[in-house]
Amino acid sequence: AQQVVLEVKHLNRGDVLKDINFTLKKGEILGFAGLMGAGRTEVARAVFGADYIDSGEIYIQGQQVYIKTPRDAVRAGIGYLSEDRKRYGLALGMDVESNIVIAAFQKFFGMLGWVDRGKTHDTAAHYVKALAIKTPTIQQRVKNLSGGNQQKVVIGKWLTADTNILIFDEPTRGIDVGAKSEIYKLLNDLAHQGKSILMISS
């Protein structure tokens, strides 16, 4: 049997979320579909700590976790990719390298607390190649990339942060057809690598 990675029990929030229960297994892509206003994004935001919840329990690898903020969620191994990349995913004025390492910055401190630039460079270069991010250099500002490549930078960021649970909330909205299929292929690849994915779509 596949290992359960995330379990949500009796999640409630105002009038929007009423008694939400689901389990997500290792290497699984679990789809949430529904019309606008059905509460799809609210589920994602509640699990990621971006919205408070009235009641409910969240378990990761069988251990109950208390997620009050997105930082708690990242610490618990959860990454969030929203269609709203500007708000939740990227520092648009910064370069590709900074965006990829930003969620796991503490990993890159060397001796004396200096940031190990060689390490950040190598990590960013690795994900640019692995995710086929089209950018002239890793010093390119993210705002100059296409929507599909911006979304891949967000994926690189969460992979650098070692998040095993990835919530994709309408990740391909406003992205051209070719980039959409690339993102879907990436989702499948990540699942094959043992990541667990919550996919929210209309």
Side-chain angles (χ1 to χ4, degrees):
Q2 276 173 300
Q3 170 194 358
V4 171
V5 175
L6 171 70
E7 187 169 10
V8 171
K9 293 182 179 177
H10 310 302
L11 196 67
N12 292 287
R13 179 174 193 266
D15 296 333
V16 190
L17 302 178
K18 291 208 186 308
D19 201 26
I20 305 291
N21 296 274
F22 65 89
T23 55
L24 176 65
K25 298 187 175 106
K26 186 178 168 72
E28 178 179 53
I29 300 177
L30 177 64
F32 275 45
L35 299 171
M36 285 295 285
R40 301 173 326 226
T41 290
E42 285 76 6
V43 169
R45 288 176 52 87
V47 172
F48 191 63
D51 288 341
Y52 70 90
I53 56 171
D54 296 326
S55 61
E57 296 166 8
I58 298 173
Y59 296 85
I60 290 181
Q61 314 278 15
Q63 297 285 318
Q64 188 169 3
V65 293
Y66 299 92
I67 296 174
K68 300 273 187 269
T69 64
R71 183 170 284 182
D72 295 338
V74 176
R75 222 176 267 131
I78 302 173
Y80 182 53
L81 284 94
S82 155
E83 50 157 337
D84 190 349
R85 293 179 287 279
K86 295 174 183 60
R87 261 180 76 189
Y88 294 112
L90 296 168
L92 288 175
M94 286 164 73
D95 60 28
V96 170
E97 179 179 344
S98 303
N99 272 281
I100 286 178
V101 301
I102 203 164
F105 213 54
Q106 68 289 350
K107 272 195 192 173
F108 298 98
F109 288 124
M111 301 293 287
L112 308 172
W114 299 105
V115 173
D116 184 338
R117 296 302 302 201
K119 217 165 153 190
T120 61
H121 181 282
D122 291 349
T123 299
H126 166 75
Y127 283 115
V128 164
K129 189 166 181 242
L131 302 173
I133 298 169
K134 293 181 188 71
T135 177
T137 72
I138 59 173
Q139 263 62 60
Q140 173 73 286
R141 286 186 180 204
V142 168
K143 66 179 177 196
N144 297 329
L145 303 183
S146 69
N149 285 299
Q150 287 182 353
Q151 200 61 294
K152 287 179 179 181
V153 169
V154 185
I155 296 173
K157 170 178 106 169
W158 293 126
L159 294 179
T160 302
D162 280 338
T163 49
N164 285 318
I165 298 163
L166 295 165
I167 303 174
F168 283 75
D169 185 1
E170 296 274 14
T172 58
R173 187 178 287 172
I175 289 177
D176 71 62
V177 178
K180 265 185 190 165
S181 66
E182 280 190 30
I183 299 276
Y184 291 138
K185 182 183 175 305
L186 262 174
L187 287 183
N188 280 320
D189 291 348
L190 292 167
H192 285 310
Q193 290 164 28
K195 301 283 183 192
S196 304
I197 294 167
L198 206 57
M199 172 71 177
I200 294 171
S201 172
S202 48

